[in-house]
Amino acid sequence: MADAPAGFALDAGAVFRGKAMRVAGRMRLEGASGQITWRYLLADSSAAPVLIEQADNRNALLRPFPPAAEPQTEGAAIFVGKERYTLVGVRRLKVLETEGQVPGATPGAALLLSGMFEGPAGTLMRELVPGSDRQLYYLVKPLAAGELLTAEEHAAAREAARQAAGERDED
């Protein structure tokens, strides 16, 4: 199998929802079918880090639950308050490489199991490392086109908008 594109490089500039950030950590994962998934930890000096998952040219924001708000698990369902999330799939993700700060997972893990659950607020992901009792929970929010850009893509879009505005002023 050919390697997937390298994704965002460690320390590269990124623009998330219009805010300049840098890639503080990244992880390359491989699914059971050979699909490559990237996870990025985006950071800047003024806000909480942002965790992004990228696969098949789609990006999703992974919003972690605070430890005190851990959902309750019951069979193939998870309850967040009174809202029920039902298991729709499980992913076995082999950790191929990590760089910088490890985005989300337990450091040193070789394999992650991600249970995907659907419910009233969308998709919830429960992730664990086999043999560990630590579980992480995330709300998964798909990102629209343009919400995550490389610094170069953002600069090019701004320049194109500036030029378009200049052309309108000339008319």
Side-chain angles (χ1 to χ4, degrees):
M1 177 183 105
D3 273 346
F8 286 91
L10 185 64
D11 292 322
V15 178
F16 175 66
R17 294 182 174 163
K19 183 174 185 156
M21 303 185 93
R22 74 174 183 82
V23 178
R26 74 180 199 157
M27 178 184 301
R28 186 168 61 123
L29 305 158
E30 181 180 35
S33 65
Q35 173 189 355
I36 298 297
T37 299
W38 290 93
R39 288 215 185 135
Y40 303 103
L41 183 67
L42 305 181
D44 75 351
S45 60
S46 66
V50 173
L51 185 60
I52 302 290
E53 185 170 283
Q54 183 180 63
D56 292 334
N57 295 320
R58 290 188 309 258
N59 297 313
L61 173 64
L62 302 181
R63 294 177 49 199
F65 279 74
E70 190 169 291
Q72 300 301 311
T73 303
E74 189 177 296
I78 291 178
F79 292 88
V80 179
K82 294 182 181 181
E83 304 293 338
R84 179 187 174 97
Y85 290 78
T86 305
L87 181 66
V88 294
V90 176
R91 303 182 302 168
R92 288 179 55 94
L93 300 170
K94 184 171 137 184
V95 179
L96 298 178
E97 70 177 280
T98 61
E99 294 182 287
Q101 297 176 37
V102 177
T106 304
L111 182 68
L112 301 175
L113 295 177
S114 292
M116 305 304 283
F117 297 79
E118 294 293 331
T123 303
L124 179 98
M125 180 171 72
R126 178 178 67 189
E127 192 159 80
L128 58 96
V129 174
S132 169
D133 59 354
R134 183 170 179 232
Q135 298 181 33
L136 301 173
Y137 293 86
Y138 302 97
L139 279 176
V140 180
K141 297 291 184 185
L143 297 180
E147 286 189 285
L148 177 65
L149 301 169
T150 65
E152 295 80 11
E153 290 169 334
H154 181 70
R158 287 182 58 130
E159 178 61 19
R162 187 191 66 76
Q163 288 180 359
E167 290 172 7
R168 282 194 301 270
D169 289 344
E170 292 174 6
D171 288 342

